Amino acid sequence: MVTALEVPADLLIKRLAEYLKQRVPAVKPPAWAYFVKTGAHKERPPQDPDWWYYRAASILRKLYKSSEPIGIETFRTIYGGRKNYGVAPEHFVKGSGSIVRKILQQLEMAGFVKTIPGKGRVLTPTGRALLDNLAYEILRELARERPELMKYLPPSHWKKGG
């Protein structure tokens, strides 16, 4: 079976963001999301109106990749960056914790993530299945364009011809 790590990350995150926007009512940006920066290292808010869904999709993929629970502070470090201090040297600054916390709470309400007290959050079997199913769909589409990828699909798909 195809896993979410076997397809290009950008295609998976884009497809997952579209899925979250259209089919998961629990995941939606709060009213303030269009006016805030994603961290102290940013100069402006995101220009993409769907950035909230892309961040949620990215967080789901990060949880999929990790074998251990991930906490909010780790996500803050992942989404941090270098802050420009003008003529002074740049330094690393963590990203927004509120954004990560709200997205994780929404994903938890949707049933894709669960909390392990004192350790962080992990993906539920439902969340893992969602990412694997989307990865399978993406690989099927890629196999139509590139036949050498057919070997990664199950034999039942070979008979149908893609």
Side-chain angles (χ1 to χ4, degrees), residues 24 32 38 87 90 99 110-111 135 137:
V24 183
W32 50 263
T38 57
V87 297
E90 294 181 348
I99 292 170
E137 290 176 13

Side-chain angles (χ1 to χ4, degrees), residues 71-147:
I72 292 173
E73 285 299 312
T74 304
F75 278 118
R76 287 188 66 200
T77 303
I78 290 169
Y79 293 111
R82 295 183 66 81
K83 182 168 173 62
N84 183 358
Y85 288 103
V87 297
E90 294 181 348
H91 297 290
F92 180 82
V93 177
K94 290 183 178 182
S96 170
S98 178
I99 292 170
V100 171
R101 189 176 310 106
K102 300 288 186 229
I103 288 175
L104 286 170
Q105 288 169 353
Q106 290 177 356
L107 291 172
E108 202 166 346
M109 285 177 41
F112 300 134
V113 175
K114 69 177 177 181
T115 302
I116 296 182
K119 294 191 177 184
R121 289 182 168 86
V122 294
L123 211 55
T124 62
T126 306
R128 189 167 292 278
L130 170 66
L131 267 72
D132 285 340
N133 289 337
L134 290 176
Y136 177 74
E137 290 176 13
I138 291 169
L139 191 63
R140 270 190 21 210
E141 292 172 9
L142 290 176
R144 288 189 187 113
E145 299 168 11
R146 298 177 51 199

